[in-house]
Amino acid sequence: MSTITLRSDAPPTRSRFRLSPRTRKLVLVTHIASAGSWLGLDLVLGILVVTAFTAEAQPAAAAAASIATFATWPLITIGLLTLATGTVLGLGSKFGLVRYWWVLAKLALNLVLVTLVVLVLAPGTEELAGAALDTLATGASLEVTSTMVFPPIVSSTAVIVAMTLSVFKPWGRVGARRLRRAAAASVDRSADAPAHRGV
C-alpha cells in the first residue's frame, strides 16, 4: 500500500491586533473628523493670508498676527491626531501600514505635512506675527512675503489627495508583482518536480 506525503510551506497563522467593529467605527469617525478639521484650518489660513496681502494696513496686520494662531499648535495637534487615528486604523484592519500603496502614500503625506508645520511654517509665522503686532502698535505698513501663499495651498491639496486615496484605494498591494512571480515560480517547480511517494 502506497501513501502520498504532503508538505505545507505555509507559515503558521499568527494572531494580530484587530479592532472590534464598534471601536473601529469610533476611530474612523475621529479620523475623518480630524482630517476635515485639518482641511478647515488650511482654508482659514488661506483666507488670512489673502487678507494680509490685499486688505488695508490695519486689517492686514491683524490677519497676519492671527496666522500664527492657526499655523502652530492647532495644525500640529490635528495633524498628530490624524496620524494617530490613521495608524490605529491601519494596524487594526486588513490594510495594515505597509501592505498597500495608498496607505503608505497617506502615511507619508501626513508625516511630511506635520514636519513642515513644525520645522518651516511655525518659525516663519511666529516672526510674521511679531512684525504684525509691531505694525498694529506703530501704524506702519506690513510686508508679507509671497512664500506665505504656499503653505495653505500645499497643505490643503495634500489633505484632499489623502482623502481621495481613502475613497478609491488605488495601486494595489505593496510587492504584489513580486508575490505573483514567486507564486508562479512555485507552481512551475511543483509541476516539474516528481511526486514523492513512500511505501
Side-chain angles (χ1 to χ4, degrees):
M1 177 180 179
S2 62
T3 59
I4 299 177
T5 303
L6 299 178
R7 183 172 60 90
S8 175
D9 294 327
T13 303
R14 295 181 298 176
S15 60
R16 194 167 59 84
F17 165 72
R18 281 294 179 92
L19 297 173
S20 66
R22 183 185 298 272
T23 303
R24 183 184 179 279
K25 290 178 181 179
L26 178 62
V27 177
L28 180 60
V29 168
T30 306
H31 184 68
I32 294 173
S34 60
S37 300
W38 194 342
L39 183 60
L41 288 173
D42 285 334
L43 294 177
V44 172
L45 179 59
I47 292 172
L48 291 175
V49 169
V50 171
T51 303
F53 273 109
T54 59
E56 298 295 330
Q58 293 298 313
S66 301
I67 287 175
T69 304
F70 288 91
T72 53
W73 67 266
L75 277 176
I76 294 172
T77 302
I78 209 67
L80 292 176
L81 180 59
T82 305
L83 177 63
T85 52
T87 301
V88 172
L89 285 173
L91 293 176
S93 69
K94 65 179 182 179
F95 297 110
L97 290 180
V98 294
R99 290 178 182 164
Y100 291 84
W101 285 113
W102 66 272
V103 179
L104 275 176
K106 284 187 59 180
L107 180 63
L109 285 173
N110 200 325
L111 289 172
V112 168
L113 288 179
V114 172
T115 302
L116 288 176
V117 170
V118 174
L119 299 181
V120 179
L121 184 59
T125 54
E126 290 294 338
E127 182 178 348
L128 175 63
L133 292 176
D134 291 339
T135 297
L136 289 173
T138 61
S141 60
L142 175 68
E143 292 185 5
V144 182
T145 60
S146 59
T147 56
M148 287 303 302
V149 176
F150 297 106
I153 294 176
V154 172
S155 182
S156 58
T157 301
V159 173
I160 292 173
V161 168
M163 291 178 173
T164 304
L165 292 176
S166 296
V167 173
F168 292 98
K169 300 177 175 56
W171 308 321
R173 295 194 61 162
V174 176
R177 292 182 178 178
R178 179 176 56 82
L179 292 175
R180 284 196 295 267
R181 288 196 298 267
S186 178
V187 170
D188 292 340
R189 287 195 300 268
S190 299
D192 295 338
H196 176 71
R197 295 179 179 273
V199 179

